[in-house]
Amino acid sequence: QTVVTQEPSLTVSPGGTVTLTCASSTGAVTSGYYANWFQQKPGQAPRALIYSTTNKHSWTPARFSGSLLGGRAALTLSGVQPEDEADYYCLLYSGPWVFGGGTKLTVL
Amino acid sequence: QVQLQESGPGLVKPSETLSLTCTVSGGSLITYYWTWFRQAPGKGLEWIGLIHSGGNTAYSPSLKSRVSISVDTSRNQFSLRLNSVTAADTAVYYCARYVWDGSSSAAFDIWGHGTMVPVSS
């Protein structure tokens, strides 16, 4: 079974930039993993942010972007806002779909 | 706009079957895929499986022996059944839409609010 790994926690200052990554135990993440990214705030359902590595949903704020970086899927937040404090999950396709363990992003 | 709503019993006993339904409103479930996720208390998200409106399914290997997903196009609903549950199946269960274009685009875009299902005697 594929294991997907994310940073457990990251801290960023308001207005700053932060990159969250998503690695696969099977090797380099490519476009064929169709990386999806989700934001989840306490007590809420996850909200979709990015699909198929780089594509934004119509509701995704412009400050969020997805990419491939050093063999990993990446989610970059530029100009971080206080309301971006949340848990972020990546989801990769490797036969079945597999989530990463999530990154807790603190805006401080 | 399309909205999803999970429904089902509030409590399931160990060894019994968990059954949930997701109702799609504001649009048709025809031509799309539909999926179930879950999240145990304080834990991360887990993919359970998905179904196409035509009936094709795919399941998580870790749950495949116990899970079944079905679709009822006449009611615009799809359902989850999980057999032989234990306390480890206690979780918030979410339904979501999966949009796959057949080649380059795969998106889990619209999610339900989720329903908490405790497994307890």
Side-chain angles (χ1 to χ4, degrees):
Chain A
Q1 171 91 356
T2 302
V3 176
V4 177
T5 302
Q6 300 181 242
E7 297 85 2
S9 63
L10 291 170
T11 300
V12 61
S13 299
T17 297
V18 65
T19 297
L20 290 64
T21 68
C22 178
S24 172
S25 63
T26 59
V29 175
T30 65
S31 60
Y33 284 72
Y34 305 102
N36 278 244
W37 290 91
F38 305 93
Q39 177 192 66
Q40 187 179 33
K41 296 181 179 180
Q44 296 184 16
R47 181 175 75 135
L49 293 174
I50 300 290
Y51 66 97
S52 295
T53 309
T54 60
N55 297 284
K56 299 179 187 182
H57 294 281
S58 59
W59 53 83
T60 303
R63 61 184 181 276
F64 291 86
S65 63
S67 65
L68 293 175
L69 193 64
R72 302 181 179 205
L75 175 70
T76 299
L77 287 71
S78 304
V80 171
Q81 302 296 307
E83 60 265 29
D84 297 333
E85 184 162 295
D87 294 328
Y88 291 84
Y89 292 92
C90 67
L91 177 61
L92 301 181
Y93 180 71
S94 61
W97 288 91
V98 183
F99 278 100
T103 296
K104 184 176 185 61
L105 182 67
T106 300
V107 180
L108 200 59
Chain B
Q1 70 279 22
V2 174
Q3 293 183 316
L4 306 181
Q5 180 66 58
E6 303 90 348
S7 60
L11 180 69
V12 181
K13 292 182 168 56
S15 80
E16 294 189 346
T17 297
L18 180 159
S19 296
L20 294 173
T21 295
C22 183
T23 301
V24 180
S25 60
S28 172
L29 56 71
I30 301 290
T31 76
Y32 289 102
Y33 292 84
W34 304 91
T35 191
W36 287 98
F37 298 101
R38 70 180 182 179
Q39 186 171 35
K43 302 296 185 183
L45 294 163
E46 180 181 14
W47 177 71
I48 297 172
L50 58 79
I51 189 166
H52 185 263
S53 58
N56 292 339
T57 56
Y59 300 121
S60 167
S62 64
L63 295 170
K64 188 173 183 177
S65 64
R66 298 194 292 130
V67 70
S68 174
I69 299 176
S70 59
V71 64
D72 185 340
T73 56
S74 66
R75 295 188 177 192
N76 235 31
Q77 294 176 334
F78 61 104
S79 298
L80 170 72
R81 286 175 59 88
L82 183 65
N83 302 324
S84 305
V85 298
T86 69
D89 295 309
T90 292
V92 176
Y93 286 77
Y94 297 99
C95 59
R97 187 176 75 173
Y98 171 53
V99 183
W100 164 239
D101 73 353
S103 60
S104 62
S105 180
F108 297 88
D109 58 353
I110 301 170
W111 290 59
H113 294 297
T115 185
M116 177 64 188
V117 182
V119 176
S120 174
S121 54

